[in-house]
Amino acid sequence: MQLISTHASPSPRQSFGHFLAGIAGMALAAALLAWEPAALATRWHPAALAAVHLCALGGLMPVMLGALFQFVPVACGLSLPDAGRIEWLRLAALEAGAVILATGFVQGRADAIAAGGTLALASLAWSAARLLRALHAQPASTALPRAMRRAALALAMTLALGGVLVGILRLGGELPFLALVDWHAQWALAGWVGGLILAVAGVVVPMFHVTAPYPARWEQLTRALPWLVFAAGAGSLAAQRWLTTVAVAALCALAAGFGVLSILRVRASRRGERDAFHYGWLGAGLFALLAGATGLAAQVAADPRWSVAFGVIALGGLGGITITVMLYRIVPFLIWLHWQRANRARARLPLLHQIVPARPQAWQLGTEAVAVGGLALGAFLPETVCLAAILLFFSKSAQFFLVCRAIREFSARLRVLQALPPRPRAAH
Amino acid sequence: MTFPDYLTTDHRACDELLGQLRQHANGADWGAARTAFDALRHDVLAHFAAEEEILFPAFEARTGMRQGPTAVMRMEHEEARDLLEDLAQAVAADDREGVRGHGEALLILLQQHNMKEENILYPMGANVAGPDLADWSARIIARREAP
Amino acid sequence: MTAVLDVRGLPPCEPFERILAALDALPAGQTLEALLAREPLPLFAWLGDNGFGWEGDHLRLDGQPCYRIVIRRAA
């Protein structure tokens, strides 16, 4: 067992690179929807498939990985040794894979889908293996490493099924394509994105909002998550529709339950501050609740538009908003911490909420939430899609600018701090 | 009560005091803010003292690890002490922005520190204490609550 | 009777949208034949999801490779 400090964790620059790449990926997905607003007419629209993969692989994924590099060592006491330059190569492969895959979907080109899928798959298999190896080296003494392990396994299932789908497209075969596509999406959305958010929120919400922990029984319930995803796919593959419906309904109940429990906890926060972090987590809770409701509607109603609304809410709402909120916590803190550690001169540093200024932060978060809401509505009111997509594009571009500016400031000030002569410490 | 439970509860109590300080500062009630800050500073420093004077030396003597977990924890305590100084200046100057900024930095710093202690160091400590767990716990609690 | 829809040479996504629109307007009992520049991958999934059956083959028209698909509403 190891206990390492943030000194031993990957350099913040590596995480920052992942964050910027991810924000750019999400902006690109928004731009695609603005260019092709008809994409949200059906979940099989080529541009919808392209946007989903740009958002998930090129957007959410790098941000999640960049955050995990910092979070896993602190929260689980695990060592994730810095693999150096190969990490940049891996990130480039992931982004290139996402863009090629998206191009393949839009143009209906099997060769591009296979090439992009393989590239992204190779990159992610490397990350998943590293994460799983680190998590398995650690006896799962607390809930967090156990939950992270479940999420990482779901990521591995998502990737394996993605590989099978690419194989079917390339080589043909009599496998049940539709059932496998659904399962791939369920492992990705519920197992990996949902599982990771559940795991991280279980720690972050009580500790960083200064509020009650999630109930012990809730933690036990969430252990069922991968089994439910498994049952949903098994039901569909074995043509037992009832099993899929029951499993999906239970998954939706978990999402909604998480939303309600989170909202109640954040509302009772005793942190003493009502900022983007506070309202952002309330928003994430609301999107979780909505994801549960629309997911259930998509399963039981004959109207396929519910699937589109669910996809937008789960990916852009629950996934996207949670990530934005966490970014605004992680980026300023990492910058501040590395400044502080280099600050032997005890020079005056900018305050935490000035590093990414609080007001633009709140505006960006607000417009992102409204834009995602507009896109979800677009499943039923197609005329809102273009406007909402443009709003989302500008919101993510503004976020890119805010984070970029903070990182430039980080490097500039760090050089100054390292050059200043140390000031003797006062005795405590 | 064993020390992991005691110290974990104490972490939460300190979080509450920090929250009160920020709430009062945001509401410009500086008298109440100063009271909350004094309690916060006292409790955090006493908590650190109990760990640095009792728990860490006992842990180091039992495991032979001097440059391991406890060195990291001591360094983070030092960072938190610096922030308490910054907060003290902000509170003395009725500086709301200062309390917000240093307060949030202290909260995040303490939470990531607490996660490491609660998930790793305390369980390890209780494990190596073995039959001495009750004795370690009594001494840690006595030091934390010393007037 | 079979309606024929030639969507070769249209910009990305339009072939998919035109075929969906044509299927919407397709009278019961009729089939739709479409000519595309290449295999319409996402369309296959949509057809499967929405209760259509289809047959397709690769051929050459005017010296260019293309893909012909014949779609019918499953019984």
Side-chain angles (χ1 to χ4, degrees):
Chain A
M1 223 186 279
Q2 306 173 56
L3 182 78
I4 63 167
S5 78
T6 31
H7 282 314
S9 63
S11 78
R13 284 199 176 79
Q14 199 180 83
S15 291
F16 292 159
H18 279 72
F19 296 160
L20 287 177
I23 298 170
M26 285 187 261
L28 208 57
L32 179 64
L33 292 179
W35 170 72
E36 184 61 277
L40 297 189
T42 152
R43 66 184 181 129
W44 300 112
H45 193 290
L49 293 168
V52 161
H53 288 85
L54 270 180
C55 176
L57 279 176
L60 300 182
M61 187 68 86
V63 181
M64 287 160 112
L65 291 176
L68 282 176
F69 291 150
Q70 303 293 334
F71 185 75
V72 167
V74 170
C76 307
L78 296 172
S79 165
L80 273 180
D82 192 340
R85 260 188 219 155
I86 205 160
E87 289 298 334
W88 293 108
L89 202 67
R90 198 189 42 65
L91 176 63
L94 177 61
E95 290 298 322
V99 170
I100 295 170
L101 187 63
T103 311
F105 279 123
V106 168
Q107 298 189 338
R109 290 180 50 170
D111 53 350
I113 294 175
T118 309
L119 202 56
L121 209 65
S123 162
L124 287 174
W126 164 277
S127 305
R130 244 181 97 198
L131 195 60
L132 276 170
R133 217 180 79 186
L135 286 166
H136 272 272
Q138 163 97 344
S141 49
T142 51
L144 185 68
R146 275 203 302 264
M148 304 270 290
R149 209 180 281 181
R150 286 195 293 271
L153 277 171
L155 174 61
M157 280 302 287
T158 309
L159 297 180
L161 285 167
V164 170
L165 292 172
V166 165
I168 295 177
L169 283 180
R170 220 48 209 125
L171 311 167
E174 291 304 301
L175 291 165
F177 191 75
L178 285 177
L180 290 176
V181 169
D182 281 342
W183 214 19
H184 168 70
Q186 283 158 350
W187 280 112
L189 271 179
W192 167 240
V193 178
L196 192 63
I197 290 177
L198 279 182
V200 171
V203 174
V204 165
V205 168
M207 290 185 96
F208 291 81
H209 286 288
V210 188
T211 188
Y214 290 83
R217 184 166 296 174
W218 168 254
E219 199 274 318
Q220 288 165 358
L221 278 177
T222 62
R223 289 181 205 175
L225 183 71
W227 296 106
L228 291 172
V229 179
F230 185 83
S236 170
L237 287 169
Q240 300 293 319
R241 196 177 151 72
W242 66 270
L243 180 60
T244 305
T245 303
V246 169
V248 168
L251 286 170
C252 291
L254 269 186
F258 170 70
V260 171
L261 287 173
S262 303
I263 290 171
L264 289 175
R265 268 150 191 78
V266 175
R267 274 175 58 90
S269 162
R270 295 180 297 278
R271 185 168 66 104
E273 198 68 67
R274 296 288 181 264
D275 51 7
F277 187 63
H278 182 85
Y279 293 109
W281 269 102
L282 283 180
L286 186 63
F287 274 118
L289 188 57
L290 288 173
T294 49
L296 190 64
Q299 181 65 27
V300 297
D303 190 341
R305 292 177 299 182
W306 284 110
S307 305
V308 176
F310 164 74
V312 170
I313 285 170
L315 212 55
L318 179 57
I321 294 296
T322 308
I323 268 172
T324 287
V325 176
M326 291 304 284
L327 270 182
Y328 287 145
R329 216 66 339 208
I330 297 172
V331 171
F333 181 71
L334 277 179
I335 289 179
W336 175 87
L337 187 72
H338 286 84
W339 276 345
Q340 179 81 348
R341 287 186 174 165
N343 189 14
R344 288 158 311 159
R346 295 283 285 139
R348 228 182 153 70
L349 297 176
L351 296 169
L352 201 65
H353 60 280
Q354 295 165 341
I355 294 174
V356 178
R359 196 180 290 256
Q361 210 183 93
W363 267 99
Q364 190 279 321
L365 183 73
T367 51
E368 185 176 343
V370 169
V372 171
L375 284 180
L377 211 60
F380 300 93
L381 297 170
E383 54 273 24
T384 65
V385 174
C386 188
L387 203 62
I390 291 173
L391 184 63
L392 185 59
F393 175 75
F394 279 110
S395 181
K396 295 314 282 186
S397 302
Q399 186 179 38
F400 189 87
F401 170 75
L402 286 173
V403 173
C404 229
R405 199 174 58 176
I407 295 169
R408 271 218 319 272
E409 170 75 10
F410 165 63
S411 303
R413 191 177 293 267
L414 192 65
R415 276 195 298 275
V416 174
L417 290 172
Q418 283 163 342
L420 288 175
R423 193 204 295 182
R425 296 184 77 89
H428 290 296
Chain B
M1 195 182 223
T2 61
F3 77 82
D5 292 338
Y6 178 83
L7 293 175
T8 300
T9 311
D10 201 33
H11 284 158
R12 300 291 170 274
C14 290
D15 297 344
E16 299 284 344
L17 288 171
L18 179 55
Q20 283 172 24
L21 161 65
R22 299 173 72 184
Q23 217 166 338
H24 293 314
N26 275 329
D29 183 351
W30 290 102
R34 270 183 268 281
T35 309
F37 176 71
D38 289 341
L40 170 73
R41 179 163 54 183
H42 172 271
D43 286 4
V44 170
L45 293 180
H47 181 100
F48 288 172
E51 290 177 338
E52 291 175 359
E53 293 169 21
I54 316 285
L55 174 62
F56 296 172
F59 179 89
E60 288 162 358
R62 194 60 62 96
T63 60
M65 290 163 67
R66 268 164 220 289
Q67 293 309 310
T70 49
V72 177
M73 295 299 105
R74 284 181 207 273
M75 182 194 76
E76 292 184 350
H77 286 174
E78 213 49 49
E79 289 168 349
R81 285 191 183 101
D82 286 345
L83 270 175
L84 280 171
E85 269 178 45
D86 293 338
L87 259 180
Q89 285 176 19
V91 172
D94 295 1
D95 171 10
R96 176 170 170 254
E97 287 301 295
V99 173
R100 286 186 69 190
H102 300 311
E104 187 66 12
L106 183 62
L107 178 73
I108 303 178
L109 185 75
L110 285 180
Q111 297 314 328
Q112 60 94 36
H113 173 76
N114 295 349
M115 267 190 240
K116 294 179 199 168
E117 289 192 335
E118 292 167 21
N119 290 334
I120 302 139
L121 183 75
Y122 295 165
M124 267 172 103
N127 198 25
V128 298
D132 298 330
L133 181 60
D135 171 54
W136 288 27
S137 300
R139 283 161 49 215
I140 287 166
I141 295 170
R143 176 61 188 94
R144 164 63 184 87
E145 292 178 0
Chain C
M1 216 189 102
T2 299
V4 182
L5 185 67
D6 186 351
V7 293
R8 290 174 300 162
L10 289 180
C13 299
E14 277 217 26
F16 179 87
E17 288 165 12
R18 296 267 181 107
I19 291 172
L20 255 58
L23 287 172
D24 258 352
L26 191 71
Q30 295 205 359
T31 56
L32 173 76
E33 180 180 330
L35 293 172
L36 300 107
R38 58 177 73 87
E39 266 185 277
L41 294 171
L43 180 67
F44 293 151
W46 185 90
L47 291 172
D49 213 16
N50 286 272
F52 287 91
W54 73 90
E55 279 165 26
D57 52 357
H58 291 277
L59 42 104
R60 287 188 86 82
L61 280 180
D62 314 325
Q64 295 289 320
C66 78
Y67 187 81
R68 180 177 58 190
I69 186 167
V70 179
I71 305 167
R72 63 190 148 64
R73 209 174 278 278

